[in-house]
Amino acid sequence: MTKNNLSPFALQDAPTLIEKVFPAQKISAEAQKERKAGAGQTLTALGSYWKGRKPLIMARAIILGCLLPVTDDPQADLSVFEQLMAMDDASFGRREPKIKPVEVASKVETDLPWEYFDYTIPANKRNDEQYQLTVDNMVFPFDSGEHPGLTIRWKRNIDPERKHVLLAMALKGLPYEEKVRLCKRPEECDPGILYGPIWDNVNNHLDHWGIEAFSHEELVEQLGILRFGHRPRVGDVFSGGGSIPFEAARLGCDVYASDLNPVACMLTWGALNIIGASPEKRAEIEKAQQEVAQAVDREITELGIEHNSRGDRAKAYLYCLETRRPETGWMVPMAPSWVISKNKNVYAKLIPDYENKRFDIKVVSGATDEEMAKAEQGTVRDSQLVYELDGKTYRTPVRTIRGDYTDEHGNNKNQLRQWGKHDFKPRPDDIFQERLYCIQWITRETLDQHRKDTYFASVTEEDLDRERQVERIVEQNLSTWQEQGLVPDMAIEPGYNNEQPIRERGWRYWHHLFNARQILASVKFINHNKQFASHEKEVLCFISDGLQHGTRLCVIDTYPGPGRLPKISKTFSDQTLNPLYNYGVRAWLYWSPVFVGAKDIHNRTKSMEHLSKVISSKEASQCALHSEIWLTDPPYADAINYHEITEFFIAWLRKNPPPPFDEWTWDSRRALAIKGTGDEFRKSMVEAYQAMTEHMPDNGLQCVMFTHQDAGVWSDMVSIFWAVGLKVVGAWYIATETSPAMKSGAYVQGTVTLVLRKRLEDKSSFKQRLLPKIRKEVQNQIDSMMRLNEEARGHGEAVFNDSDLQMAGYAAALKVLTNYSEVDGRDVTRLAMQPRQKGKRTVIDDIVEFSSEIANNLLIPERLKEINPETWEKITGLERFYLRMLAIEQTGMFKLDNYQNFAKAFHVDYAPLMASVKPNKSKLKGAMDFNPRELAGGDIGNTLLGEALLAVQELMNDKEPKTVMAQMRASLDDKYFQHRPHLMAMAQYIHDMLISRRQEEAKKAEIIANRIRNEGI
């Protein structure tokens, strides 16, 4: 026995919570709350350019689910889990909900309200004794309509615990997503307050095993001892932005993290050693950052390159390209818009200089609306250079200016000069020149104030002198800086993401993405940081994010929102490197806060310094340490090409990195990166997961997160795990994020988490014998989860939604399939590794489809089951999809990935049924949205649902009900009476699903249902 009477390995073979139950719908809401926090997310201070981080709350849920045991009371198990995740009703009261006292008073029933609240009587009632007496004896809930003007507020000395109880009561009954919206994320709250009240309940529930914990760290260590004999280690060989190792350590696990990419290793190291540092250490790091930034500030101030003659200081510089139009010989500034600030009505006006055949650029403030509208039209429109001179408009395609052509080998080329290693600005004879056209200044009087006054000004000769001074400094020192590793000398290697700078500007080296001011300030910061040896590596972790905010690829956002001044964006707003016609440069005062990111880190994270934290820059197949839990988010299919993107950062950091960064290989190692799909992808993934399986105890778990894009990727992933001797014991679907930066058009992405264990015995079977087992397993799994839903509904909410149930059906089938090492006399490892042949189905494809059909047969919408359960069996997949999605829409869920996933499950093309496919505003067509021809023929028209919708449409077009019914009977001919019960059921169901949203359509559907129901009466 050990401390707390724990018996090591007492839970060694016990199933885990995540294998049985997991509130995926609630975790989805929490994950999206975290994603929408943007820069408020815990790890973004280290690098917002890493787009693929999975939500911390999701990693936390998975790790706890892998450690907690299952008892004979699954509802109590789930209740404890939700308390540990701060997802239960009581915890929401402690998550600092944004709800006014009057709202609480109007919802909460209490006989003694004035123990919790104070009030102020309106002036016109202060002498009304009866009114005063009524208020004093008021019983809540409070009806503001009965007491207009009465102000309710919390008592100053209210017991916080009692206040939390009232807040929780006020939130009870709201949809879970609404509670999440109103409250802080758990990681933003004080853990002592948030989790303090739960430990008695947790300890009572786990008392059988000797658990006595008063923090997550204590609980995790004790569960680790019970399962593995010691504190658990969580491993991740695709650590990326570091969210999985960080959250594992925050829970109290030892961690092993590795990644082929050194930038990923640095982000992971920073997460664990900066955000996970003690408050004292974080204060030291912040002090070092500030001292470096201040040293740079002093040097720039001494050089005089950011101050004008009256003492104002630059905040931002705006540059544009300029090119000579061959036909006229005029130099024309290039920009898609000349608006500088919409809120301040500032724009750049082009004034012809006939003598020099160029345009002066004058900054105009306080412009009229007409002038601003005209300024919206820049000189680059639809990939053409467009300008007006003496009433005549000139147009030249940019490709013509660039000199685009196709060589004898069919390669696209152009006449742009390819910049050299020591170039940092255009040469006088280059096609594209650069021009400073506006400076945003901070007034001298407000430089030291928190709220600074700024103005935009035209560029003067004095400004150009300072510009030339900066260029001279860079020109004189660039080659030395490159030799010292202070400025990149690394060439841009062409790739999927990296072609555009080369093709569109002739930029061949990474430092070409930075102009002279940006290079100079970056060198100063890196150089001064080297003087802080004790914290050089910590400060260096923030440099990458600083660099991406200071390139020629930073867009000028002229309208960041009402009342706001223009801002300069970051380079990696998306995955691509897009050269711009005009761009913004942050002066040091505006740029330095990005380099000093530690102040943005909230202080709710406890120190991780006592934990074992190993970070390695290795291929995934070379993992070095055993881990009891492997939690990974592997690359797959359309994953971001970080091996290309991060070369931007590697170019700056690769020479002379401080320890421990010097132990890593500062190269993207493209050839070794796991990417894409197909046979090579599967081979690399098998090697990686084989290594993890070998470095895991027999009772260990692997959890794999991947975005559920298509059946091919799903089958590939399953083949990989089958080949390395893992069996699926669970799968959960989480809607993780809205991510406009990663794709064209924002949409909600779903993530599947597969839970796997080692397959410890060899078993063989035949597909035909497996199918009945799969059917039984799928039915048992879904029945079990639906029973849990029914129990939870008694408390106001279901635990699982349809997507969860559907995914659980897949998982149930895979639980059966992956238990076997031989199917139909064929070794599964060899079968899994066979190259896929186009158009040829595999055993996995067949069984996944089979399990999908079983699951969908079981997922009858509750209301349809009440009306006529036989209808579901009689209708097509297309009809099932439409009716199922009506039920989901009724709950207020309009997320595109729901429609996509159910369309795949029902094997239908959902597009013809959709009125909108907007990210979070998707919806089905109503009866009136269909073209009459669609309902008279085609896929939907040849169904009973099509008949019902056509009848509703005709009623809405004012046809007589008698005529509509006659047409329906004629259309179905002698089959009408056979299908009559199902037509009635669908029409009634449509009414019930739409009555709260589209009443006219619902009423017409009810008329149809009643007509069918009452025929012959």
Side-chain angles (χ1 to χ4, degrees), residues 636-639 706-714 733 743 747-752 900-901 904:
Y636 46 81
D638 58 350
F706 66 100
T707 302
H708 184 210
Q709 296 286 354
D710 57 52
V713 174
W714 173 266
Y733 175 85
K743 304 282 181 181
Y747 62 96
V748 174
Q749 286 188 297
T751 295
V752 174
Q900 292 171 331
N901 287 319
K904 290 171 187 173

Side-chain angles (χ1 to χ4, degrees), residues 736-905:
T736 46
E737 59 193 313
T738 300
S739 185
M742 294 173 62
K743 304 282 181 181
S744 56
Y747 62 96
V748 174
Q749 286 188 297
T751 295
V752 174
T753 298
L754 283 177
V755 186
L756 305 109
R757 285 188 179 273
K758 283 185 178 180
R759 191 171 60 242
L760 297 175
E761 57 181 339
D762 292 331
K763 296 168 67 176
S764 62
S765 187
F766 294 92
K767 188 173 81 171
Q768 292 307 313
R769 291 183 179 176
L770 288 176
L771 295 182
K773 294 181 180 179
I774 289 169
R775 180 186 296 277
K776 182 179 179 181
E777 184 70 29
V778 172
Q779 185 151 5
N780 288 343
Q781 178 72 44
I782 291 181
D783 285 349
S784 167
M785 293 171 73
M786 291 182 84
R787 277 197 302 274
L788 196 59
N789 261 2
E790 289 302 320
E791 292 171 4
R793 280 195 185 98
H795 304 287
E797 290 179 342
V799 178
F800 306 106
N801 66 10
D802 292 323
S803 295
D804 304 325
L805 295 167
Q806 184 188 90
M807 286 306 306
Y810 287 150
L814 295 171
K815 285 181 195 176
V816 175
L817 177 61
T818 54
N819 262 297
Y820 294 89
S821 55
E822 188 178 278
V823 175
D824 288 346
R826 303 178 68 184
D827 178 72
V828 296
T829 302
R830 192 174 305 157
L831 184 66
M833 290 309 298
Q834 282 184 344
R836 292 184 73 93
Q837 298 179 21
K838 190 175 182 180
K840 188 172 181 179
R841 297 178 62 80
T842 67
V843 169
I844 293 175
D845 296 331
D846 290 340
I847 291 180
V848 166
E849 182 173 330
F850 176 74
S851 64
S852 170
E853 290 172 357
I854 296 168
N856 293 329
N857 283 335
L858 295 170
L859 295 179
I860 307 173
E862 291 296 322
R863 181 61 186 131
L864 186 63
K865 188 189 294 186
E866 294 169 2
I867 299 169
N868 187 345
E870 295 179 3
T871 297
W872 192 251
E873 297 178 11
K874 303 294 183 182
I875 58 179
T876 66
L878 187 120
E879 292 168 293
R880 288 179 177 179
F881 170 82
Y882 189 91
L883 298 179
R884 166 55 65 193
M885 299 318 294
L886 279 182
I888 291 176
E889 287 185 352
Q890 190 200 29
T891 67
M893 299 284 285
F894 297 92
K895 297 174 181 177
L896 182 57
D897 65 336
N898 276 335
Y899 299 89
Q900 292 171 331
N901 287 319
F902 275 95
K904 290 171 187 173

Side-chain angles (χ1 to χ4, degrees), residues 94 184 188 194 218 267 316 424 462 475 570 623 630 647 688 722 751 764-765 770 784 820 947 968 974:
R94 301 189 294 273
K184 285 188 174 181
E188 295 178 287
L194 182 60
E218 290 180 0
L267 288 171
F424 65 92
E462 179 188 321
E475 189 170 21
K570 56 195 175 188
C623 60
W630 289 100
E647 288 170 1
W722 204 6
T751 295
S764 62
S765 187
L770 288 176
S784 167
Y820 294 89
E947 292 287 350
M968 179 186 290
D974 57 347

